[in-house]
Amino acid sequence: MNRFSSPSGLQSRLAKVTPYHRFAFSVTLAFVVGSILLSWTISTVIERFIAEDTANQTGRGIAVHFPAILGSTSFRQPLSPDEQARYGRIVKLHFDVYSIVQVKMYRPDGLATYSYAPSVIGTSGLATPGQDADRLARAAAGELSYEFTRGSVVNLSDPPDKIAPPTEGDVMRLWVPIRVDGEVIGVTQVERDVRLLIDEIRRIQLVTTALVVAGSLILMVTLGRIYADSTARIREREESEQAARIHVDALQELNRLKDEFVAQVSHELRGPLVPISGYSELLAMGQADPEQTARYGEAIRESASRLNRLVEDLLDLGRIESGRYHLERAAVDLRDLIERVARDSGAVSSRHHVVVDAPSDLPTVDADPDRVTQVVTNLVTNAIRYSPEGGEIRTRLRRENGFVVTEVIDRGVGIPPEHVERVFEKFYRVENTVTRQVRGTGLGLAICQELVRAHGGKIWVESLVGVGSRFSFTLPVAGQPVPTEGQPTPVRYFPG
């Protein structure tokens, strides 16, 4: 099927037509139609002007020649053969300049007194009703009239033995009133061969049409360029305004995030500062016994330690997000690294057991060992904290599409579905009875996400409330270029 005849293809093209295109098409169509109408109007005016001028010129010539040369006797009665021959020579002598092919003379009452065709002499031009009779009557009343006809042109002014065969052409027929002392004494009807005149008119019309069309095309092209430039400037201004709006929106969003961040940091800093301030005041009063003093001091120490971790996390996150840090990449044995983290986690909780499940042929990864240790430690620590009943924390490692995938799986409280996508936001914490008992800065997962991305990997979570959670992240295999595609795709998780 022709792609232009496809309804869907036509609809898709029409859907892409913009108001600018419709405007350009309308202007073009208007110029084409306007050029045609203007050319036709000008041609008609020129033709009418030339016809009027020719008719008037011919009429004046005839009206002047007859009284001056032939006299008024030509219209008194039909001419005799001798008079016809004499008049014929005089008429042809003076009328040849006008390319006259037929002459008829009528008295005011319509009787023909002379003609190139002798059979017409003595007949009445008003006897047969019609347009010719009407024009003859109007001329007898003093009105000059004319018409253009097309047909066989026979020059009856030539001698009978030299009359050429009729030819197709344009003829102007005129009815000229002849006056003497202001009185109409007769009517001369002439037929003038205007083929050369019509050809000249056609040439003038053609030149005029060409000039009008050329002028219209030049004007259309000029307007098209003006329109294109205007459209480009309008679009450029719209794009600039849109960019400015986007910039303003971005600044407003940045300002909102700044305010939100300041509020969150203030809230988090207030948490450890409250017990430090309160217990410090109690100690300053000097009324606490040694046991209370020790308890107050331990509370101050824990709060100060929490405050220090928060400040360190904030500084760490700031350096990562701004790029003001350097990854010390090396070929890292991820299995060995995670086993060390698992051993260290025994000091965190004796009720949890971290199991490492990795194939023996697992390749090394291209990573900063300290930063990866920070990520794994954070994920394992979170798994322990949010599994209050204790149990197994399993870490699985596998190779997939040029990456090594690390999974940290717990059997804890899980994360509600509406919170899963936000757990990597700064200071975001899921509010429930368990999380309120777990202390943290709310920055650990945000730091993990930035560190994994810096290595060319990605991190995600799958969770079911009451069943557990699985946090996964990828790192590129050492010795290979970082794949731009083929990252492992998360699947719906059910811990197992």
Side-chain angles (χ1 to χ4, degrees):
M1 179 183 291
N2 190 326
R3 63 189 180 95
F4 293 104
S5 63
S6 171
S8 59
L10 179 60
Q11 292 175 357
S12 63
R13 285 171 175 78
L14 290 177
K16 295 179 181 178
V17 176
T18 65
Y20 303 106
H21 295 144
R22 287 194 291 271
F23 174 77
F25 175 78
S26 300
V27 170
T28 302
L29 181 62
F31 267 108
V32 171
V33 175
S35 299
I36 294 174
L37 292 177
L38 182 60
S39 174
W40 178 83
T41 302
I42 293 176
S43 299
T44 302
V45 170
I46 291 175
E47 182 176 350
R48 181 171 298 178
F49 173 79
I50 294 177
E52 290 280 355
D53 184 68
T54 301
N56 292 329
Q57 182 184 18
T58 305
R60 285 195 302 270
I62 293 171
V64 169
H65 277 85
F66 266 91
I69 299 172
L70 302 177
S72 60
T73 59
S74 304
F75 300 96
R76 291 178 181 176
Q77 61 184 1
L79 301 178
S80 65
D82 293 338
E83 291 175 322
Q84 291 179 24
R86 182 169 59 86
Y87 271 79
R89 288 193 297 270
I90 297 174
V91 169
K92 292 172 184 178
L93 175 65
H94 290 86
F95 280 8
D96 278 349
V97 69
Y98 298 112
S99 300
I100 302 299
V101 296
Q102 170 66 294
V103 175
K104 298 176 184 178
M105 300 179 187
Y106 294 96
R107 294 191 318 200
D109 61 2
L111 181 67
T113 61
Y114 174 78
S115 174
Y116 283 174
S119 61
V120 176
I121 298 174
T123 62
S124 177
L126 301 176
T128 303
Q131 189 175 15
D132 286 358
D134 291 340
R135 291 184 181 276
L136 177 58
R138 288 159 53 190
E143 178 184 346
L144 183 146
S145 63
Y146 71 92
E147 69 174 1
F148 280 97
T149 63
R150 184 168 180 82
S152 297
V153 178
V154 180
N155 191 351
L156 297 177
S157 65
D158 294 332
D161 57 340
K162 296 183 179 181
I163 294 178
T167 57
E168 187 74 14
D170 295 287
V171 175
M172 174 187 285
R173 304 175 68 201
L174 296 97
W175 288 261
V176 183
I178 305 300
R179 293 180 174 87
V180 174
D181 298 329
E183 180 183 354
V184 176
I185 63 173
V187 175
T188 300
Q189 177 189 342
V190 299
E191 295 181 7
R192 180 176 180 177
D193 183 359
V194 291
R195 285 176 292 181
L196 295 178
L197 176 65
I198 294 299
D199 290 342
E200 186 65 25
I201 291 176
R202 297 288 182 264
R203 283 193 291 271
I204 294 174
Q205 290 175 334
L206 181 61
V207 172
T208 303
T209 301
L211 291 175
V212 170
V213 172
S216 299
L217 290 176
I218 293 173
L219 181 60
M220 185 178 68
V221 171
T222 303
L223 290 178
R225 291 180 178 175
I226 295 174
Y227 162 77
D229 293 341
S230 300
T231 301
R233 286 195 294 269
I234 291 173
R235 288 181 176 174
E236 183 179 353
R237 184 168 62 249
E238 289 176 348
E239 291 174 357
S240 299
E241 292 175 353
Q242 184 178 6
R245 286 194 297 269
I246 293 175
H247 183 66
V248 171
D249 292 342
L251 290 177
Q252 291 176 345
E253 177 65 12
L254 184 62
N255 189 59
R256 185 190 66 79
L257 293 175
K258 181 199 69 174
D259 294 341
E260 183 179 306
F261 178 76
V262 170
Q264 290 175 331
V265 171
S266 300
H267 174 74
E268 295 297 329
L269 290 175
R270 190 178 295 111
L273 285 176
V274 169
I276 291 175
S277 177
Y279 287 125
S280 298
E281 290 181 2
L282 291 176
L283 290 175
M285 294 173 61
Q287 299 179 357
D289 55 35
E291 182 179 351
Q292 290 175 324
T293 300
R295 189 169 68 254
Y296 296 163
E298 179 62 21
I300 292 174
R301 186 192 67 79
E302 290 181 358
S303 296
S305 177
R306 180 185 172 194
L307 182 61
N308 183 66
R309 288 197 305 273
L310 176 60
V311 172
E312 288 296 327
D313 286 346
L314 284 172
L315 294 175
D316 208 9
L317 183 62
R319 286 191 293 267
I320 294 173
E321 288 183 337
S322 63
R324 290 183 289 107
Y325 74 101
H326 179 67
L327 293 177
E328 298 293 339
R329 289 181 177 271
V332 178
D333 185 342
L334 202 54
R335 178 190 181 112
D336 181 65
L337 184 149
I338 292 179
E339 286 179 345
R340 290 198 305 270
V341 174
R343 289 193 298 269
D344 295 340
S345 66
V348 178
S349 173
S350 59
R351 295 189 301 139
H352 296 80
H353 177 56
V354 180
V355 178
V356 180
D357 183 5
S360 58
D361 60 346
L362 187 72
T364 57
V365 295
D366 181 28
D368 185 329
D370 292 334
R371 295 299 187 178
V372 175
T373 299
Q374 183 179 355
V375 172
V376 175
T377 300
N378 189 287
L379 296 179
V380 171
T381 301
N382 282 351
I384 292 174
R385 288 177 176 177
Y386 294 102
S387 301
E389 302 300 326
E392 180 182 274
I393 306 297
R394 180 173 294 274
T395 59
R396 292 177 178 171
L397 296 95
R398 70 177 189 277
R399 179 175 181 171
E400 183 176 340
N401 298 334
F403 292 88
V404 173
V405 183
T406 303
E407 300 173 347
V408 178
I409 306 169
D410 64 61
R411 297 282 183 173
V413 296
I415 305 171
E418 64 271 18
H419 296 283
V420 169
E421 298 297 329
R422 301 192 60 188
V423 294
F424 293 102
E425 295 180 10
K426 294 186 288 291
F427 298 113
Y428 188 82
R429 299 184 68 186
V430 180
E431 290 296 330
N432 55 44
T433 56
V434 176
T435 58
R436 280 192 289 269
Q437 297 174 4
V438 177
R439 292 183 176 180
T441 63
L443 296 173
L445 291 178
I447 294 174
C448 289
Q449 178 173 255
E450 295 298 330
L451 288 175
V452 170
R453 288 177 176 174
H455 282 84
K458 70 176 183 178
I459 185 170
W460 67 93
V461 60
E462 301 134 284
S463 184
L464 291 175
V465 176
V467 177
S469 301
R470 174 169 64 186
F471 283 82
S472 306
F473 68 91
T474 60
L475 294 173
V477 173
Q480 297 182 7
V482 178
T484 57
E485 298 179 355
Q487 284 267 25
T489 302
V491 297
R492 179 60 63 186
Y493 166 67
F494 187 87

